[in-house]
């Protein structure tokens, strides 16, 4: 008997108000988990109880960055611009839109190897696969079938406990190809920081670089961490600052500034003109829960099916049911690993060709485009 498909609502701006109040009992529970963990320890294989899990897999979180949007199709907009500088500016806007609010103390499930997530929204089709469990490496392929755009992520994260906080560095490559314009944009991902002391919080931080070799244009964005002072003054603005410039000469063309959860503005340094390039309220607010359009076509490796009993238990606060479901998923993965070890077989991803060089991973999709998914974001 096939499991049901359980899909949780994407976390968006309007949900933040419900998560702003962090209870002292939650803080104590989190700190108790780390009491025997030494600063600098790798938390990749750290096990969380269901009470601290979001009802979704990490694969779904990656997928939501691309397919979960409200209003304008910002990815498609990158391919509709006529001038190279306008396309890079649109790429900056789309990149900012992939940043989503975070919930302190909560984390998604660690995907099992072979797990997939396949969702479509309009012209955007997204397929994510967990290609390795130790270390946890995820590959994402998305295509825009109208504007002929190809998106490829191959990334893995390394969470480290630092005493008063945990930082999660996301490594690996992100590439967006505008095939009609024959342009390739390479970019990285900011790190996630969860602070316990002196104040609790979860935020994005660090530098993001977006570069196009064909046009010689580049953007740098700096995500500024929430400061201790800002939490007491209420001035928690999630600031973003940056620039667009010519790679060869360093000539600065635009300044970028604002708050990624509010508005972001670009200033043309030649004309002085100001342009609001991003409004979070128009793109990541009131996000819709995906729905199953064709149940028979949903793969049994689909995240929303693999973790359905766990997600059901979490959403209903039936914690024993969630714990049992989690144990079953993890035991099934361990049994599959034992069988492969006995037979001398290694895991081969279904949708990607994978090359590993030391700690670096490179993934190439086996198909040129992502097909329409049986799970869709409703209009």
């Amino acid at each position: 008997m096939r499991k049901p498909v359980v899909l949780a609502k994407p976390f968006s701006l309007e949900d933040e108000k419900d998560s702003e109040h962090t209870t002292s009992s939650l803080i104590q529970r989190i700190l108790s988990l780390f009491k025997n963990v030494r600063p600098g320890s790798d938390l990749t294989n750290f096990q969380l109880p269901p009470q601290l899990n979001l009802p979704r897999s990490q694969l779904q979180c990656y997928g939501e960055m691309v397919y979960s949007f409200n209003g304008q199709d910002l990815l498609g907009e990158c391919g509709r611009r006529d001038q190279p500088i306008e396309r890079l500016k649109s790429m900056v806007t789309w990149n900012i839109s992939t940043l989503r609010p975070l919930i302190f103390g909560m984390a998604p499930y660690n995907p099992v190897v072979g797990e997939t997530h396949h969702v479509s929204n309009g012209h955007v089709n997204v397929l994510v696969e967990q290609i390795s469990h130790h270390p946890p490496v995820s590959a994402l392929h998305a295509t825009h079938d109208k504007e002929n755009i190809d998106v490829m992520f191959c990334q893995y994260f390394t969470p480290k406990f630092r005493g008063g906080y945990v930082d999660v560095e996301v490594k690996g490559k992100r590439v967006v190809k505008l095939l009609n314009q024959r342009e390739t944009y390479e970019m990285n991902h900011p790190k996630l920081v969860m602070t316990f002391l002196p104040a609790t919080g979860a935020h994005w931080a660090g530098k993001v670089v977006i570069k196009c070799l064909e046009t010689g244009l580049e953007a740098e964005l700096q995500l500024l961490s929430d400061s201790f002072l800002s939490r007491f003054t209420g001035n928690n603005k999630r600031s973003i600052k940056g620039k667009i410039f010519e790679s060869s000469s360093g000539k600065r063309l635009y300044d970028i500034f604002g708050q990624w959860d509010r508005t972001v503005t670009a200033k043309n340094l030649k004309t002085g003109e100001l342009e609001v390039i991003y409004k979070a309220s128009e793109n990541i607010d009131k996000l819709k829960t995906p729905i199953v359009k064709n149940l028979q076509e949903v793969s049994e490796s689909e995240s929303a099916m693999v973790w359905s009993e766990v997600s059901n238990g979490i959403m209903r606060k039936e914690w024993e049911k969630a714990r049992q479901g989690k144990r079953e998923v993890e035991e099934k993965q361990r049994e599959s690993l034992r069988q492969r070890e006995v037979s001398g077989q290694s895991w081969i991803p279904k949708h990607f060709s994978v090359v590993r060089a030391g700690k670096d991973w490179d993934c190439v999709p086996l198909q040129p485009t992502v097909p329409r998914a049986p799970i869709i974001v409703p209009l």
Side-chain angles (χ1 to χ4, degrees):
M1 180 178 174
R2 283 165 64 90
K3 290 183 177 181
V5 175
V6 178
L7 292 151
K9 181 182 180 298
F11 193 68
S12 53
L13 285 181
E14 78 272 14
D15 299 314
E16 277 201 287
K17 294 177 183 178
D18 298 330
S19 65
E20 285 178 348
H21 178 65
T22 304
T23 64
S24 59
S25 61
L26 174 61
I27 297 171
Q28 290 172 1
R29 185 184 186 102
I30 294 170
L31 291 176
S32 70
L33 291 173
F34 292 110
K35 65 181 180 181
N36 295 320
V37 180
R38 298 181 59 170
S41 297
D42 189 330
L43 302 178
T44 302
N45 301 317
F46 196 71
Q47 294 293 320
L48 289 175
Q51 290 91 334
L52 298 180
N53 276 132
L54 296 168
R56 56 172 57 80
S57 166
Q58 182 65 56
L59 291 194
Q60 291 171 265
C61 294
Y62 287 145
E64 287 173 3
M65 292 179 176
V66 183
Y67 69 69
S68 189
F69 55 87
N70 188 25
Q72 190 176 12
D73 172 13
L74 296 178
L75 179 61
E77 193 64 26
C78 297
R80 288 189 281 268
R81 298 289 185 168
D82 293 329
Q83 300 300 319
I85 186 64
E86 294 300 318
R87 289 195 289 274
L88 181 63
K89 203 161 47 165
S90 293
M91 196 65 68
V92 168
T93 300
W94 174 77
N95 186 280
I96 294 171
S97 78
T98 65
L99 296 172
R100 302 301 164 92
L102 301 164
I103 307 178
F104 171 79
M106 305 296 288
Y109 319 129
N110 288 327
V112 298
V113 69
E115 181 181 328
T116 60
H117 187 49
H118 188 196
V119 179
S120 294
N121 184 357
H123 295 287
V124 179
N125 305 305
V126 181
L127 177 63
V128 200
E129 182 177 7
Q130 190 70 7
I131 59 174
S132 171
H133 188 64
H134 295 302
V137 184
S138 309
L140 177 149
H141 186 211
T143 50
H144 194 294
D145 56 23
K146 184 178 181 181
E147 299 300 334
N148 202 17
I149 298 173
D150 185 278
V151 180
M152 182 67 215
F153 295 173
C154 184
Q155 53 194 33
Y156 53 101
F157 58 89
T158 54
K160 296 275 182 80
F161 179 58
R162 304 296 187 186
Y165 66 97
V166 170
D167 70 46
V168 183
E169 186 177 357
V170 183
K171 299 180 180 179
K173 71 171 186 176
R174 288 183 162 198
V175 176
V176 179
K177 294 181 179 180
L178 306 182
L179 298 174
N180 291 342
Q181 291 79 14
R182 297 182 180 179
E183 292 175 358
T184 298
Y185 295 79
E186 297 181 353
M187 60 201 74
N188 64 308
H189 193 277
K191 67 179 179 180
L192 183 159
V193 179
M194 183 181 296
T195 57
F196 309 123
L197 300 169
T200 60
H203 50 267
W204 299 108
K207 184 169 74 172
V208 175
V209 177
I210 305 170
K211 183 183 296 186
C212 179
L213 295 178
E214 291 82 2
T215 64
L217 295 173
E218 190 170 342
E220 283 185 7
L221 304 173
Q222 189 74 37
L223 296 169
L224 306 179
S225 306
D226 297 343
S227 69
F228 179 55
L229 179 62
S230 71
R231 291 193 165 273
F232 279 93
T233 61
N235 191 30
N236 178 16
K237 298 198 174 185
R238 296 177 179 167
S239 296
I240 185 169
K241 291 184 178 181
K243 61 182 178 178
I244 295 175
F245 59 97
E246 295 177 351
S247 298
S248 58
S249 66
K251 181 182 178 181
R252 202 163 176 148
L253 305 175
Y254 282 86
D255 277 344
I256 308 291
F257 56 90
Q259 295 81 40
W260 64 260
D261 63 336
R262 302 183 190 185
T263 61
V264 179
T265 300
K267 180 181 180 179
N268 187 319
L269 296 181
K270 183 177 181 180
T271 66
E273 180 183 358
L274 297 175
E275 176 190 359
V276 176
I277 62 172
Y278 180 66
K279 291 183 179 180
S281 62
E282 295 180 0
N283 291 279
I284 59 171
D285 198 24
K286 298 179 174 62
L287 298 175
K288 297 177 180 177
T289 306
I291 60 173
V292 179
K293 187 177 181 181
N294 190 328
L295 182 59
Q296 297 306 312
E297 292 183 6
V298 176
S299 169
E300 291 194 3
S301 62
E302 165 60 47
S303 286
M305 186 176 286
V306 170
W307 298 97
S308 59
E309 292 181 14
V310 188
S311 296
N312 251 333
I314 291 173
M315 288 190 283
R316 295 176 181 176
K317 299 188 186 308
E318 297 175 356
W319 303 119
E320 186 50 44
K321 179 181 178 181
R323 275 190 290 271
Q324 180 60 30
K326 202 171 183 182
R327 282 194 293 268
E328 289 176 2
V329 172
E330 292 165 352
E331 180 52 39
K332 185 176 181 180
Q333 174 171 248
R334 284 191 286 268
E335 180 57 30
S336 296
L337 175 60
R338 283 193 290 266
Q339 291 179 2
R340 289 196 301 274
E341 288 176 342
V342 168
S343 61
Q345 296 179 334
S346 58
W347 174 259
I348 300 175
K350 183 178 180 180
H351 302 286
F352 297 88
S353 173
V354 180
V355 176
R356 184 177 183 183
K359 293 183 178 181
D360 295 326
W361 294 72
D362 194 14
C363 314
V364 178
L366 297 179
Q367 299 299 324
T369 60
V370 178
R372 188 78 178 159
I375 299 174
I376 63 169
V377 177
L379 298 175

